[in-house]
Amino acid sequence: MIENDEIIQMLEKRVETISDDYWTKWIEDFRIQQENELKLEFEEAYKRLKEANKRLEEAQKRLEKANKRLEEAQKRLEEANKKVQEANKRADESDKLVDKMNQEMT
């Protein structure tokens, strides 16, 4: 009977060990699965971030080009305005000469 009790106790311990091993393995598998899912999510987020940064850089380059074109257009406009002012000045001088000549003729 004592021998049977020892065998029963030994079997109970073995069952507990097996049970503990099962839950330990299940928890470890679950942890690994969660880590893998988080890693995949992180990699996907990092990939989207890199793509967004690339699009941002491209947009900044286009903005720089547009700003350069705008500056060039503003310079051309200033030059055109100066030419118009010069032409207006010459026209005013011509008008004054014509008026002076008309006065001298009368």
Side-chain angles (χ1 to χ4, degrees), residues 32-77:
I32 290 170
Q33 178 187 4
Q34 293 301 306
E35 284 178 359
N36 288 339
E37 287 177 9
L38 287 173
K39 183 180 177 185
L40 288 174
E41 288 177 23
F42 175 78
E43 289 171 352
E44 183 62 29
Y46 183 72
K47 182 179 175 183
R48 287 193 305 266
L49 177 62
K50 283 177 66 175
E51 290 172 0
N53 282 335
K54 184 177 178 181
R55 288 192 302 270
L56 178 61
E57 288 174 9
E58 290 170 358
Q60 287 172 332
K61 287 178 184 177
R62 287 194 303 270
L63 180 60
E64 288 174 8
K65 286 180 183 178
N67 283 336
K68 283 181 183 179
R69 282 184 268 166
L70 179 60
E71 288 174 10
E72 291 170 1
Q74 287 173 332
K75 286 179 185 177
R76 286 195 298 269
L77 179 61

Side-chain angles (χ1 to χ4, degrees), residues 14-30:
R14 181 69 183 134
V15 168
E16 287 175 6
T17 302
I18 291 171
S19 180
D20 288 346
D21 288 348
Y22 169 80
W23 286 110
T24 302
K25 180 162 178 15
W26 185 87
I27 290 169
E28 181 64 15
D29 288 348
F30 181 76

